[in-house]
Amino acid sequence: MIITDFGYCLAPSNAVKVDKTTDWRFEKLCALESDVLKCIGCGSCTAVCSAGHFSQMNLRQCILSLSRGQWEKSVRSLSRCMLCGKCLMVCPRGINTRHLILSICRIYCPGEGGSNA
Amino acid sequence: MKFSGIQKIWSEWEKEIPDDHWFYVRSCIRQNFFPASERRYLDIVRGNLGRDIFEHPEHTTCGGIAYHNECIPQLTQMTIVGRQFSIMTESGYSNYVCSCVTSFGLYCEALNTWKEHPEIEAMVREKLWESCHREFEIPKSLVHASDLIYHLRHEIGAKAVHKLTNANTGEPLRVVDHVGCHYAKMFPTKGVGGAEYPHVLSGMVEAWGGESIDYPERRHCCGYGFRQYHIKENRGYCVSNTHKKLESMEPYHPDFIITNCPGCAYFLDRWQYVIAHQTRHTYGGPGQGIPVLTFEEAAGLVLGYDPWDLGLQMHQVAVEPLLDKMGVPYDPAKKYLGTNGKAIPRPELPSIIRCC
Amino acid sequence: MINKNIVIVGGGPAGLEAARTLRNAGLTPILLEGSDRLGGHLLEWDSLFPSNQKASEVLESLTADLEGIKWFTNSKVEEISRIKDIYLVRTSSGYTFQANAVLLTTGFSLFNATLKQELGYGIYDRVITNADMERYFATGEHPCIHEPKTIGFVHCVGSRDEKICNRACSKVCCATAIKQACHIKEKFPLAQVYCFYMDLRMFGRGWEDMYYNAQTKYGIRFVRGRVCEVSEGMDATLNIKAEDTLLGKPIRMKMDLLVLMSGIRPRKDTEDIASNLHIELGTDGFYSPRDPFIRTNESSNEGIFLAGTCTGPATLPETFSSARSAAARIIEYLESK
């Protein structure tokens, strides 16, 4: 097949195709940590995060991304977690954020320090 | 600031601390960083305060560092906790005291998990029996080592040889505190004074004549963050957190920092050297750092222990200016002598920040 | 009918409006107020959204004509007992009233903001609540308000927060915050005013206009994020931490004044009264009506009626409507007896 160079090309879509993302990882996460469904996106966790001040770590955004099947970048940012527990104190929905972070790392990054047990 | 508001919180967030007969477990890292701290802690509790505190040679790590680095799952970590409890049970004790703040958080987490999920406790008991034929009882009380000193702070105050005051002017020393994250942030009701305004260290400072100073980033993490520090390339990120804290406390001109967490004491102390050599900035005036004391060391100084017996020569930031201020006598010639009287290796002296 | 007794417990807006309606229908209601003044929370508020009418004016028109209403202040209800169809209401002033019907208009309590320790109310001087702000508007005095340059309003304090066991929205704080934000901006035109919200719930008539004016006329800045740590700097200015969730980044700011929008909570005695009268409470701690659509003014116990915010957060117009409908329902009930 000959590909002609017109000097321009079709633009890729920037949209998140939510109906095409069936993500077993998120299902597994919900089964293990039903708390993840409680998030109302207020940003309290990110506001007090020790890590967020110096890195891209943003638990609120990560939870949202996971639920939309967009996990690649956001899960990596969680590796900056200090496990200090401040987010746990302020969450208005009482999510066990500290435990949630460890579970996300275990499900989404097995083999990168995340134990599979 | 309304002091009455904080006092109200303190009066409502007291926790029960048993008065005697404790089973003591050590911290993995405290003994390496500040080796005399735990030894002198036992001396203070037994010798100065006449209490019974027992330590068993077979106790181990709580598994916290491996768990927080995701090397072992929580179930394994809880089984280690079960084994620790079994040694306590076999030794005939039921009041558990741990030296490490992270251990304390994880013990609380395990006990809480078992309370909410008895099936997990059953599983831990089964695993423990399978692996080492041990059984355990749940401790009647679980406290951190600093809770105990907090509980006994007035007794220590009554026996004080040196107050936390400037020996020349009589003015109280200005002390900032840093409470380890896992002390109360995970379980605020388990901390003396809660998680927002912990009283565990400021209570000691006030009982011993010092002035406790609040600073904006008091609640921020020291920056250890387990896997962050353990990977060398991440350490810039750790030191940034400590830097943020030091910047926040500097304008208050503290005489020293008191902490109750093994890691925090280490990082607040050592990073001052790193920051001094990266930015040429020192936080205790030109060429001076802010000395960092663990609560055991502070109690030891108050009770008149020799600074070198407390292991203060292991600190990066020079403690001598603080000792001079407090009027604590010390022999500079003995600083680098071991407990056997023989010379121990001397550190290389940094050029920017004073270390002795 | 004319001989039937009705006791109304609580002399706030709902109690007053119900008493007036019953009186206008030819009855002689007995209105019991525990404190020394009629008016309830209206006494503590300066002005009311969305029209900015003075609370005192509304209260005046409510209390202008109380003829035909037997009202008693300093009369806290101690016990209500029942003998057949008659309720006996005993008060702290030593009286016992007989009633064929009892209307509870006991209202709400503002959330005790000291419980959110991380926000520092009662600890840091420059952290105040919505009620303190209203007092300031009414009197023009507050020891810590001197030409503030940056002012923050924190929505949802004590609402939508499982940490203090309240999942519910308090309904009126968003509008109150915007009203107060505009008002303080009028007083200090050079100040920068921020509202920190989780979701802005401007559902009432005219409320969206308030929001619009706050943005365009007053230049109030809205940040979608929850303030969740406050500390004090050397000069008593406040350092706050939030996330700007639309920006996706944590933000740090210095504030000269921080106003906490304390939410609507059940009164402390709600539970005692409920168990005394065998009426049901919802999971939110407020009285439950017999059904949520038609019989909204009836409790689960016959002869005990409910109106106003003792059944959950409500705006003032809703409270008045609820009081009038309760009066109508009571009349129906007494006629059927």
Side-chain angles (χ1 to χ4, degrees), chain C residues 8-152:
Chain C
I8 303 171
V9 183
L16 285 164
E17 182 66 357
R20 276 157 33 103
T21 314
L22 290 165
R23 186 267 322 265
N24 293 349
L27 293 156
T28 314
I30 297 161
L31 178 63
L32 305 176
E33 166 59 37
S35 77
D36 59 352
R37 282 172 78 192
L38 293 176
H41 290 281
L42 271 182
L43 291 165
E44 293 155 21
W45 240 243
D46 179 58
S47 67
L48 305 169
F49 64 79
S51 65
N52 287 331
Q53 195 180 348
K54 287 280 171 192
S56 55
E57 290 169 19
V58 175
L59 186 56
E60 240 163 66
S61 59
L62 274 178
T63 52
D65 175 17
L66 296 177
E67 210 180 316
I69 299 168
K70 293 188 203 160
W71 57 275
F72 301 87
T73 51
N74 294 316
S75 300
K76 197 171 157 28
V77 171
E78 306 241 294
E79 197 192 0
I80 303 178
S81 49
R82 183 175 182 172
I83 301 170
K84 286 183 184 170
D85 277 354
I86 302 290
Y87 285 97
L88 298 174
V89 182
R90 188 165 59 79
T91 68
S92 58
S93 47
Y95 293 102
T96 300
F97 298 92
Q98 283 191 15
N100 301 87
V102 174
L103 173 61
L104 298 179
T105 54
T106 49
F108 66 93
S109 291
L110 269 185
F111 172 70
N112 172 9
T114 59
L115 295 177
K116 292 302 292 173
Q117 290 182 4
E118 63 268 39
L119 300 179
Y121 182 64
I123 291 175
Y124 304 131
D125 294 322
R126 295 190 186 178
V127 181
I128 67 171
T129 64
N130 42 1
D132 297 332
M133 195 60 159
E134 290 291 331
R135 213 166 296 131
Y136 167 71
F137 289 144
T139 62
E141 279 170 33
H142 189 283
C144 300
I145 304 180
H146 313 286
E147 298 288 332
K149 288 187 191 67
T150 328
I151 305 164

Side-chain angles (χ1 to χ4, degrees), chain B residues 14-321:
Chain B
E14 271 292 353
K15 89 178 200 190
E16 215 170 289
I17 301 166
D19 197 57
D20 204 349
H21 306 297
W22 303 290
F23 181 81
Y24 183 68
V25 290
R26 293 195 181 219
S27 148
C28 301
I29 58 178
R30 197 194 286 269
Q31 334 173 41
N32 296 300
F33 298 160
F34 302 111
S37 265
E38 292 179 329
R39 167 72 195 277
R40 296 306 162 214
Y41 177 79
L42 294 176
D43 289 349
I44 290 169
V45 174
R46 285 182 190 140
N48 298 73
L49 305 168
R51 301 299 208 281
D52 166 36
I53 188 161
F54 181 75
E55 182 193 22
H56 196 285
E58 280 177 27
H59 82 269
T60 64
T61 170
C62 71
I65 291 180
Y67 169 55
H68 280 151
N69 283 293
E70 294 168 48
C71 299
I72 60 169
Q74 197 186 2
L75 189 63
T76 309
Q77 192 268 327
M78 288 193 294
T79 312
I80 300 175
V81 170
R83 184 180 172 279
Q84 303 277 74
F85 288 164
S86 76
I87 296 174
M88 174 198 74
T89 307
E90 284 164 18
S91 310
Y93 285 81
S94 55
N95 299 328
Y96 200 88
V97 181
C98 56
S99 167
C100 171
V101 160
T102 280
S103 297
F104 179 67
L106 290 179
Y107 287 123
C108 288
E109 189 177 38
L111 291 178
N112 218 52
T113 306
W114 298 346
K115 205 170 148 198
E116 303 281 334
H117 300 278
E119 74 280 6
I120 295 181
E121 183 185 340
M123 208 193 297
V124 167
R125 286 180 182 279
E126 198 186 307
K127 296 277 176 207
L128 187 66
W129 182 256
E130 268 175 30
S131 54
C132 51
H133 286 274
R134 283 178 180 274
E135 286 176 305
F136 64 89
E137 279 169 27
I138 303 281
K140 278 203 190 93
S141 88
L142 169 70
V143 297
H144 182 250
S146 61
D147 292 334
L148 232 159
I149 294 290
Y150 171 83
H151 178 69
L152 302 169
R153 68 194 189 281
H154 293 302
E155 278 183 49
I156 294 173
K159 293 179 182 184
V161 177
H162 307 287
K163 291 271 181 192
L164 297 181
T165 50
N166 186 316
N168 290 325
T169 64
E171 295 274 307
L173 294 184
R174 297 166 64 81
V175 187
V176 290
D177 68 24
H178 173 76
V179 174
C181 290
H182 296 160
Y183 173 70
K185 282 177 187 157
M186 290 161 71
F187 295 93
T189 54
K190 305 286 185 219
V192 174
E196 297 290 347
Y197 309 95
H199 193 213
V200 60
L201 295 176
S202 55
M204 292 178 204
V205 168
E206 280 153 17
W208 303 337
E211 186 190 355
S212 178
I213 308 285
D214 192 31
Y215 59 104
E217 290 295 354
R218 177 175 48 76
R219 292 172 262 192
H220 197 88
C221 171
C222 75
Y224 173 22
F226 299 90
R227 49 187 157 177
Q228 308 306 343
Y229 176 77
H230 292 156
I231 297 168
K232 190 175 176 186
E233 61 184 18
N234 285 351
R235 287 182 188 169
Y237 168 52
C238 296
V239 69
S240 305
N241 281 285
T242 315
H243 179 248
K244 188 174 172 175
K245 283 195 78 85
L246 291 167
E247 291 281 320
S248 173
M249 62 178 72
E250 185 186 18
Y252 297 84
H253 304 297
D255 291 308
F256 72 94
I257 304 169
I258 186 168
T259 82
N260 68 344
C261 177
C264 306
Y266 181 74
F267 292 108
L268 287 166
D269 182 50
R270 300 296 200 267
W271 284 141
Q272 289 194 54
Y273 155 76
V274 173
I275 293 170
H277 281 257
Q278 283 181 345
T279 68
R280 306 192 76 80
H281 187 76
T282 53
Y283 289 96
Q288 303 282 0
I290 309 172
V292 185
L293 297 185
T294 68
F295 64 95
E296 298 103 327
E297 289 164 350
L301 285 182
V302 167
L303 287 169
Y305 280 78
D306 184 274
W308 311 142
D309 285 346
L310 286 168
L312 297 190
Q313 62 274 62
M314 300 300 283
H315 288 235
Q316 181 72 52
V317 175
V319 290
E320 282 88 342

Side-chain angles (χ1 to χ4, degrees), chain C residues 90-215:
Chain C
R90 188 165 59 79
T91 68
S92 58
S93 47
Y95 293 102
T96 300
F97 298 92
Q98 283 191 15
N100 301 87
V102 174
L103 173 61
L104 298 179
T105 54
T106 49
F108 66 93
S109 291
L110 269 185
F111 172 70
N112 172 9
T114 59
L115 295 177
K116 292 302 292 173
Q117 290 182 4
E118 63 268 39
L119 300 179
Y121 182 64
I123 291 175
Y124 304 131
D125 294 322
R126 295 190 186 178
V127 181
I128 67 171
T129 64
N130 42 1
D132 297 332
M133 195 60 159
E134 290 291 331
R135 213 166 296 131
Y136 167 71
F137 289 144
T139 62
E141 279 170 33
H142 189 283
C144 300
I145 304 180
H146 313 286
E147 298 288 332
K149 288 187 191 67
T150 328
I151 305 164
F153 286 83
V154 185
H155 294 219
C156 304
V157 175
S159 312
R160 305 187 67 199
D161 188 350
E162 309 226 10
K163 287 281 158 67
I164 49 107
C165 304
N166 181 28
R167 190 181 296 162
C169 166
S170 291
K171 209 173 184 178
V172 294
C173 328
C174 281
T176 305
I178 289 180
K179 183 206 76 179
Q180 293 191 345
C182 296
H183 205 143
I184 198 85
K185 179 84 178 172
E186 271 173 2
K187 282 195 184 291
F188 303 107
L190 297 177
Q192 193 57 257
V193 184
Y194 293 86
C195 281
F196 294 88
Y197 67 97
M198 294 207 278
D199 292 295
L200 209 50
R201 297 186 167 175
M202 306 300 286
F203 50 85
R205 190 175 183 192
W207 297 14
E208 199 65 26
D209 295 333
M210 288 169 60
Y211 180 23
Y212 183 85
N213 282 334
Q215 290 177 292

Side-chain angles (χ1 to χ4, degrees), chain A residues 40-49 52-53 56 58 60-61 86-94, chain C residues 116 118 160-163 167 198-199 224-226 228-229 241-252:
Chain A
I40 50 174
C42 68
S44 300
C45 46
T46 308
V48 294
C49 181
H53 198 80
Q56 296 301 312
N58 184 328
R60 175 196 59 77
Q61 214 164 43
K86 269 235 79 162
C87 47
L88 184 67
M89 286 166 62
V90 295
C91 176
R93 277 291 171 93
Chain C
K116 292 302 292 173
E118 63 268 39
R160 305 187 67 199
D161 188 350
E162 309 226 10
K163 287 281 158 67
R167 190 181 296 162
M198 294 207 278
D199 292 295
R224 194 197 172 278
R226 188 167 169 265
C228 45
E229 190 183 311
K241 294 184 180 178
E243 185 199 359
D244 189 322
T245 58
L246 301 179
L247 213 56
K249 279 187 191 298
I251 53 174
R252 307 282 181 262

